[in-house]
Amino acid sequence: MLSSIVSTTPTGGRWRLRHPGPETWGLAAVLALSAGLNLWNLGENGWANAFYTAAVQSGLHDGESFLFGASDWGNSISVDKPPLSLWLMGLSVRVFGFNSWALLLPQAVLGVATTALIFFVLRRRAGGASALIGAAVFATTPIVVLLSRYNNPDPLLIFLMVLALEATMRGLESARVRWFAAAGLLLGLGFLTKQLQVLLVAPGLGLAALPGRRLGFKKTLAAGGALVGTLIGVAGAWLAFVDLTPASARPYVGSSTANSLTQLTLGYNGLDRVVNTDDTVTNLMPKQYVGTGNDSGLLRMLNGNFNQEATWLLPLGLVCAILIIWIFRRTRLSSLALASSGWLLSTYLLLSFMGNDIHTYYTMNLAAPLALTVGLGVETLRSRPLSRLPRRAVALGVGLSAIMGWLTLGSLEAGQFRQDLAWAVLGLGILGAVLIAVPSPAAWGRWLAAVVTVTGLMLGPLVTDIATLERTEAGSNPVSGSLTKNPNTMGHFLAALDRGNPQWASDISRGAVPPQDLVPIIRNSPATCRWSAATYTAQTAANWQLAVTRPVMPVGGFSASDPSPSLEQFKELVANNQVCYFVDYPELDPVVMNQPAAGPIISWVRSAFTRQIVDGVTVYRLVNGP
């Protein structure tokens, strides 16, 4: 039992290390599995999302770029998120050198650390088996494995959210307001990672604090004030710092319409993400890949765009979410049950009904609360061995998840070895559900039920993890797993982008590849230029910057839609010999020429300078001299 590792009081106490036992080795095995999945051939994704990699590169060359998360160290524009995750990766590459492995190492470590944290959150309050299963569920979730090997900010965000949940639990258990202040600090750091997305955990934390019997009314108000006040203080301080810094002394705030971090928070990274139903350039997904109209609804997370990412155990998690609220309503686990269930249900509903501006990797937000609720669902079986309700409910969830795994594996393209596992997953899952619903009186029967159930439910995620490790990912929307029989899915769309079809979408999502003959020309441009080149869109500018190791201006930001720079500003920069070259991509004209800032700049360059074709790419020299 995990009592061989640690000991706590019933309401949560100080951890005391003891001699290693079976659960010590169980935890070691789960963490080793997590580390293996996250670290194996870590550099295979190269620069991954070049948009963020270029910002890390910029931070190596310039302190202002590091501080504000600028795309280029000419400091023309920042990326579309606050820079905390970039700072972490930036520190890593300063220590280990600027390479893919060093860039992605913090992400892999965060994935393992969150796995360990979920174990300890559960184990402090529940049994060892529950904690191990919860940790294993998180570690093997395919989108967790993928993003732990990628440079999007999500791994840091999820780690901070789980840590904030643990701080809130400590505050409720100890009745000490300082723990709530710590939770607010952690959520504030989450805001500096991915802004309002950190608030996905807020409904769960609010539900956990709702039963005021632990703290009393006055202390509950004080605790809530400490959490909210600290969160607002940290987030507000960064908002004020950026927005009050003169625009001339910092990069333009990328993806904002008014050069304002506050507007970015409330708009592009706020309500626009939830309510937008338009097909935008940043969606990068033509209508045939999302079907007709909006695919929002209770089954969205189970369709071919999302089901391989994180929802293998979603039916079990949703059943457990309701079950644990009822079973643990008058126990010391009530707060954690409410927090985990509230977090899972609110996130599931938001992702299911938000607008079209949704990426498949958003499903990582389900992974942690899903792991916690499944772990607590297992705890209902351990703590109520003679009760029929938890057994029947968990059996129902296991059976539904087995069917989900069968349908998901069965939907993969013919010829993939994983398809042969579909019936095994279904058979083992249904058998496990039966063995749980009708328990054996013998100990070996209960062990058999556990082994069969865990094997049946974990098989699908594990083979999807293997498929994820076998592929490389790049660009702004990585996906897990294998291609499905349905050609109208995100996976098929991204596979087409790998082949350059359509070229405009590939150039926006992954960025155009700089041709070999043109790279040295841009790299050896006059050193007096602040930017060796300017181009569009940001992924292409990032690829150029990484190739030439000189600042490259992304005209118009991520999708060429930001007013940075204006035509007048760009003309002034060119007149002062601050931009050496302009790399043009006429094939993107249908996408970018209607943008109010980038379009006029492109038209002016084409009319005012002489076009050259180098290795099939159009380039304009903007400065005089050799």
Side-chain angles (χ1 to χ4, degrees):
M1 301 300 293
L2 199 60
S3 57
S4 61
I5 309 176
V6 292
S7 176
T8 65
T9 65
T11 57
R14 182 175 300 176
W15 294 98
R16 296 199 301 272
L17 295 177
R18 293 184 176 179
H19 298 295
E23 289 182 18
T24 307
W25 301 116
L27 175 60
V30 171
L31 295 181
L33 175 63
S34 177
L37 291 171
N38 296 353
L39 291 166
W40 177 263
N41 198 16
L42 182 59
E44 69 175 348
N45 285 330
W47 294 130
N49 190 341
F51 181 55
Y52 293 127
T53 302
V56 174
Q57 179 195 36
S58 297
L60 284 174
H61 290 271
D62 182 79
E64 181 182 327
S65 298
F66 180 84
L67 179 61
F68 291 102
S71 292
D72 58 279
W73 63 98
N75 292 308
S76 65
I77 192 169
S78 72
V79 296
D80 60 349
K81 301 293 186 294
L84 186 58
S85 179
L86 300 176
W87 293 345
L88 194 60
M89 289 184 282
L91 293 175
S92 177
V93 298
R94 285 177 184 270
V95 174
F96 299 108
F98 187 61
N99 57 73
S100 177
W101 182 87
L103 176 79
L104 300 177
L105 179 62
Q107 309 292 87
V109 171
L110 283 167
V112 179
T114 307
T115 298
L117 183 57
I118 285 174
F119 172 86
F120 286 113
V121 168
L122 288 167
R123 186 58 188 95
R124 185 176 176 86
R125 299 158 184 92
S130 307
L132 286 172
I133 288 176
V137 167
F138 181 83
T140 58
T141 300
I143 194 60
V144 171
V145 174
L146 173 61
L147 291 185
S148 295
R149 305 166 57 82
Y150 218 71
N151 59 336
N152 283 12
D154 302 78
L156 177 58
L157 176 71
I158 301 304
F159 175 75
L160 291 169
M161 291 166 78
V162 177
L163 205 55
L165 181 143
E166 170 62 11
T168 302
M169 294 303 103
R170 295 287 187 99
L172 291 169
E173 293 161 357
S174 67
R176 292 178 178 173
V177 173
R178 67 188 184 189
W179 281 110
F180 294 94
L185 172 63
L186 292 164
L187 294 176
L189 294 176
F191 178 88
L192 267 63
T193 304
K194 215 170 179 188
Q195 294 189 302
L196 294 182
Q197 193 169 319
V198 74
L199 296 182
L200 286 174
V201 73
L205 300 185
L207 282 175
L210 203 56
R213 63 185 185 279
R214 285 183 179 270
L215 301 181
F217 181 72
K218 290 184 179 180
K219 190 159 248 187
T220 298
L221 286 180
L227 189 154
V228 175
T230 308
L231 166 60
I232 292 175
V234 174
W238 182 250
L239 286 171
F241 172 71
V242 173
D243 283 353
L244 295 178
T245 300
S248 60
R250 60 166 173 79
Y252 184 94
V253 178
S255 296
S256 72
T257 58
N259 197 8
S260 164
L261 186 61
T262 302
Q263 192 277 327
L264 175 69
T265 302
L266 300 176
Y268 180 80
N269 285 333
L271 290 177
D272 289 353
R273 295 278 179 178
V274 178
V275 303
N276 180 30
T277 58
D278 296 329
D279 293 323
T280 62
V281 172
T282 55
N283 236 2
L284 302 177
M285 201 168 179
K287 291 180 179 179
Q288 64 265 32
Y289 294 100
V290 295
T292 57
N294 192 325
D295 70 341
S296 62
L298 289 174
L299 299 182
R300 172 192 264 178
M301 292 294 102
L302 306 181
N303 70 35
N305 283 325
F306 300 94
N307 58 9
Q308 290 188 75
E309 304 283 10
T311 56
W312 296 87
L313 302 184
L314 182 61
L316 175 60
L318 294 175
V319 169
C320 288
I322 299 170
L323 173 68
I324 61 180
I325 291 175
W326 177 256
I327 293 294
F328 296 131
R329 65 190 184 280
R330 294 190 181 93
T331 72
R332 62 186 177 85
L333 283 169
S334 62
S335 295
L336 182 57
L338 285 167
S340 303
S341 299
W343 185 3
L344 176 63
L345 292 170
S346 60
T347 301
Y348 164 66
L349 291 173
L350 179 64
L351 294 180
S352 296
F353 290 98
M354 68 182 292
N356 287 341
D357 203 2
I358 180 174
H359 294 284
T360 54
Y361 65 81
Y362 287 1
T363 51
M364 188 173 182
N365 291 281
L366 291 167
L370 183 60
L372 291 169
T373 53
V374 170
L376 289 174
V378 173
E379 182 64 13
T380 65
L381 301 180
R382 189 193 70 85
S383 62
R384 303 287 183 92
L386 302 179
S387 175
R388 293 181 180 178
L389 174 62
R391 290 192 175 280
R392 291 175 177 176
V394 172
L396 173 63
V398 169
L400 291 174
S401 288
I403 294 172
M404 176 69 193
W406 172 64
L407 292 172
T408 300
L409 289 172
S411 70
L412 301 184
E413 280 188 339
Q416 300 189 60
F417 76 94
R418 296 165 195 85
Q419 228 182 359
D420 299 335
L421 299 174
W423 287 103
V425 167
L426 180 63
L428 289 171
I430 297 299
L431 177 59
V434 172
L435 293 174
I436 290 172
V438 187
S440 169
W444 67 266
R446 294 189 291 273
W447 274 103
L448 177 63
V451 171
V452 168
T453 302
V454 170
T455 302
L457 294 185
M458 302 301 287
L459 202 54
L462 280 172
V463 297
T464 305
D465 293 336
I466 294 172
T468 301
L469 297 184
E470 291 175 344
R471 295 171 35 243
T472 60
E473 288 290 327
S476 56
N477 193 63
V479 296
S480 309
S482 306
L483 294 178
T484 67
K485 296 174 184 176
N486 181 359
N488 300 326
T489 60
M490 176 64 80
H492 278 278
F493 176 58
L494 295 176
L497 294 191
D498 289 337
R499 302 187 297 270
N501 180 30
Q503 189 62 51
W504 69 266
S506 178
D507 287 351
I508 295 176
S509 177
R510 286 155 160 57
V513 178
Q516 187 174 4
D517 291 346
L518 187 53
V519 166
I521 296 175
I522 304 297
R523 178 188 294 132
N524 297 322
S525 59
T528 53
C529 290
R530 187 173 180 179
W531 291 273
S532 62
T535 189
Y536 55 94
T537 58
Q539 290 284 9
T540 294
N543 286 344
W544 274 105
Q545 182 170 288
L546 292 166
V548 304
T549 323
R550 294 277 304 276
V552 175
M553 177 189 293
V555 174
F558 181 77
S559 57
S561 60
D562 296 341
S564 171
S566 66
L567 176 59
E568 293 72 22
Q569 290 170 331
F570 190 77
K571 286 181 176 180
E572 182 178 354
L573 291 172
V574 171
N576 292 328
N577 292 323
Q578 294 294 292
V579 185
C580 285
Y581 288 92
F582 189 88
V583 183
D584 193 13
Y585 292 92
E587 65 271 18
L588 295 183
D589 281 3
V591 179
V592 301
M593 288 306 291
N594 62 343
Q595 300 296 340
I601 290 175
I602 296 168
S603 297
W604 175 72
V605 169
R606 290 173 179 173
S607 63
F609 297 91
T610 302
R611 180 182 66 174
Q612 303 176 57
I613 305 295
V614 179
D615 206 357
V617 173
T618 303
V619 62
Y620 297 85
R621 183 179 174 91
L622 307 184
V623 294
N624 298 318

